[in-house]
Amino acid sequence: MPKIKLTFGFPPVAQARPRATRFGRGIRLYDPKLVHVYKAQLAESAQFMYHGEPLTGPLKVELWFYRPVQKSISKKERVLRLTGEHRPIVKSDVDNYIKSTLDGLNGLLWEDDRQIVDIIAHKYYSDHPRIEIEVEEAE
């Protein structure tokens, strides 16, 4: 199987703690609205770009998260961030970006994210926020 490479042209959103509401005698957990919209946007874009069946078997995934540069920084710092000399070490955590992205692609690129046995993730700044993903069968 060749590598599947997809680029999503919108900024990544980190998985937030689930929210809870009473539902009769129980409690219903749900994603915050921003995360829910992000996962729906990922799913819609993936369906448009990838027309194959969900992958089965062990998978290797590499992710690149490009987040926007803050507006309240100096021109010098902006250049350092855009060239990759200064990488994002502020919130959100890369593991939360991974979680929301993998969950949003369940059933589309792969049957379930439990199939992922190798994962590499990168976090950068960019003037063009986006998510890039490569998926291939693990050896």
Side-chain angles (χ1 to χ4, degrees):
M1 173 195 94
K3 282 185 184 179
I4 297 171
K5 297 179 183 182
L6 300 176
T7 300
F8 301 94
F10 45 87
V13 174
Q15 180 68 46
R17 294 189 186 275
R19 303 295 187 252
T21 185
R22 290 200 179 273
F23 189 71
R25 291 181 146 182
I27 295 176
R28 182 179 152 260
L29 297 175
Y30 61 94
D31 281 331
K33 184 175 183 174
L34 187 63
V35 176
H36 179 76
V37 169
Y38 172 71
K39 288 179 181 181
Q41 191 176 16
L42 267 177
E44 184 178 325
S45 297
Q47 287 173 336
F48 179 74
M49 292 186 278
Y50 178 71
H51 302 289
E53 291 294 317
L55 302 173
T56 59
L59 301 173
K60 177 182 176 183
V61 174
E62 190 162 3
L63 298 150
W64 292 265
F65 299 104
Y66 294 91
R67 42 176 291 151
V69 180
Q70 296 89 337
K71 297 192 186 307
S72 62
I73 58 171
S74 68
K75 290 180 183 178
K76 183 178 177 182
E77 179 62 22
R78 180 176 179 73
V79 169
L80 291 172
R81 290 181 181 194
L82 291 175
T83 59
E85 286 186 57
H86 287 183
R87 303 268 301 268
I89 56 171
V90 295
K91 288 185 177 181
S92 294
D93 299 352
V94 73
D95 60 320
N96 292 328
Y97 284 139
I98 293 169
K99 179 71 175 148
S100 62
T101 303
L102 298 184
D103 284 350
L105 297 172
N106 270 344
L108 300 167
L109 291 184
W110 44 74
E111 290 178 346
D112 192 89
D113 56 0
R114 69 173 173 255
Q115 296 168 240
I116 299 169
V117 296
D118 292 320
I119 191 162
I120 300 170
H122 314 272
K123 195 166 66 162
Y124 292 98
Y125 288 112
S126 176
D127 276 337
H128 306 286
R130 64 193 182 279
I131 304 106
E132 296 177 2
I133 184 169
E134 284 185 7
V135 182
E136 64 182 320
E137 288 179 345
E139 298 171 0

